[in-house]
Amino acid sequence: MQYRSIRRRLICAAAAASAFAASSGVMAAGWPDKPVTLVVPYSAGGPTDVVARLLAVPMGQYLGQSVLVENTVGAGGTLAPARIVRSKPDGYTILIHHMGMATAPSLYKKLPYDPLKDFEYIGQVLDVPMTLLSRKDFPANNFAELLDYVKKHQDKVSLANAGVGAVSQLCGMLFMHQVGVKLTVVPYKGAGPAMNDLMGGQVDLLCDQTTQTMPVIQDGKRAKVFGVTTPQRLSSLPNIPTLDEQGLKGFDVKVWHGMYAPKGTPREAIEQLNKALNVALKDDNVKKRIAELSSDLVTPDKATPEGLRKHLEAEVARWRIVIKAAGVSAE
């Protein structure tokens, strides 16, 4: 009789433990036991997609399961995060996103998620620098002349970007904010068309990431470059000064990326995903390809849940000021 009672209690305890594991979506010893989907908010072949596919291979090797990249495109990059917050919090559906996670709360009045409340953080990934360019025949030949010209002729100067929420738009907003001018903003449907019109002389200025501008800069015949947007000069462009050292103190725009999971994803899954991310950041092929894109992988202290959380909080606050001053809205 006593044996049956003990056996009954053990069965009940096991059932309760199993139910808890199922509800939490992960078991410490068994996760992952199927492929992980890494959602990208932008189209295949774009900078964020390229980074995602680079990381997916070594992450999958560490996890012992495939990491499948899936593009969920639309609404200025907000559809993918909205999908993530609706996903089951089991670690099998995660997100890679750039600085748009920090700017969306200020750009969109009815954002279907809160970047600071609706996600678990896996870690930062990399930073992509940006450069400020002009058409080849623009009157200014250096940054001092550029500042003088835009201040005197701001109503005649056009500033291109790749659309609402694009990093080129954000960089342009920060430039106007710090210089104290309001230029004629010309939005395009993508970085490619904006760059084409800059090289064709249809628009005056464009601020965009090195993954897009490096070939034009290296060519040296189709546009002028006035500076890079990072606090330090780039090793790939050592002769191009920063905007900070040329007078725009504190000017710092990098297309930083981070990885996220739905709120409530179990700690065990987040820990494994973070370890997989850090293994990928040390992968020789990843390091080589990121260097070729003139980008920088983050240091280990940033590739952590806490590192990403702190950075996102600071960026949300920072861009709120800039976007409010610019009076820009996506709606």
Side-chain angles (χ1 to χ4, degrees):
M1 192 73 174
Q2 185 178 9
Y3 168 77
R4 290 179 181 176
S5 177
I6 294 173
R7 184 171 178 271
R8 232 182 352 256
R9 285 199 294 269
L10 288 174
I11 291 173
C12 290
S18 177
F20 175 78
S23 66
S24 66
V26 65
M27 294 182 70
W31 194 94
D33 60 6
K34 63 181 181 179
V36 174
T37 298
L38 178 57
V39 178
V40 178
Y42 305 103
S43 58
T48 304
D49 178 76
V50 169
V51 173
R53 293 179 191 278
L54 274 175
L55 296 173
V57 175
M59 285 184 70
Q61 290 172 344
Y62 173 83
L63 294 171
Q65 294 286 343
S66 298
V67 175
L68 308 175
V69 176
E70 190 171 304
N71 303 88
T72 300
V73 183
T78 63
L79 285 186
R83 173 190 166 185
I84 294 298
V85 299
R86 294 193 302 268
S87 299
K88 186 177 180 180
D90 55 9
Y92 289 106
T93 306
I94 61 176
L95 172 74
I96 183 170
H97 203 339
H98 62 38
M99 59 194 287
M101 281 290 274
T103 58
S106 297
L107 285 171
Y108 294 88
K109 296 178 181 178
K110 297 180 180 179
L111 195 66
Y113 57 87
D114 185 334
L116 299 176
K117 296 180 180 179
D118 295 336
F119 297 88
E120 302 292 347
Y121 308 115
I122 299 170
Q124 289 188 65
V125 180
L126 85 163
D127 297 324
V128 183
M130 303 187 76
T131 52
L132 180 63
L133 306 178
S134 78
R135 56 183 168 85
K136 187 63 179 178
D137 57 350
F138 192 73
N141 292 306
N142 55 55
F143 190 67
E145 292 181 4
L146 172 67
L147 289 182
D148 183 65
Y149 188 87
V150 298
K151 288 178 180 179
K152 291 179 179 178
H153 307 282
Q154 59 180 291
D155 58 330
K156 298 179 181 178
V157 178
S158 56
L159 175 63
N161 66 53
V164 174
V167 290
S168 54
Q169 183 206 26
L170 301 169
C171 183
M173 281 196 294
L174 186 59
F175 173 75
M176 290 189 289
H177 177 69
Q178 290 201 210
V179 175
V181 297
K182 285 194 175 183
L183 309 180
T184 301
V185 177
V186 184
Y188 286 80
K189 293 182 178 180
M195 179 62 77
N196 287 338
D197 272 11
L198 182 83
M199 293 187 294
Q202 280 76 48
V203 289
D204 297 318
L205 303 174
L206 171 67
C207 184
D208 208 353
Q209 52 191 306
T210 52
T211 50
Q212 304 291 331
T213 64
M214 188 63 87
V216 178
I217 295 171
Q218 292 174 332
D219 174 83
K221 298 177 181 179
R222 295 174 290 174
K224 295 178 182 178
V225 56
F226 291 99
V228 297
T229 65
T230 49
Q232 294 81 34
R233 294 194 185 196
L234 306 181
S235 58
S236 55
L237 296 171
N239 296 322
I240 307 300
T242 69
L243 298 185
D244 177 272
E245 69 182 270
Q246 295 182 95
L248 293 189
K249 295 303 179 183
F251 198 100
D252 182 9
V253 181
K254 297 184 289 289
V255 190
W256 58 271
H257 294 69
M259 273 192 190
Y260 307 81
K263 190 72 174 179
T265 299
R267 178 176 53 82
E268 294 89 343
I270 296 297
E271 288 176 351
Q272 288 300 311
L273 289 165
N274 177 259
K275 289 177 181 177
L277 171 61
N278 277 272
V279 166
L281 295 180
K282 296 174 184 175
D283 181 82
D284 288 339
N285 181 59
V286 170
K287 290 192 290 186
K288 177 176 179 292
R289 288 288 291 115
I290 293 301
E292 290 172 351
L293 294 172
S294 297
S295 304
D296 299 306
L297 296 170
V298 299
T299 53
D301 61 305
K302 293 182 178 180
T304 64
E306 184 65 9
L308 176 55
R309 183 189 66 78
K310 287 183 177 180
H311 187 65
L312 179 63
E313 288 177 347
E315 286 285 278
V316 168
R318 174 194 185 200
W319 285 104
R320 184 182 295 119
I321 296 171
V322 175
I323 292 171
K324 183 178 179 181
V328 176
S329 173
E331 298 178 332

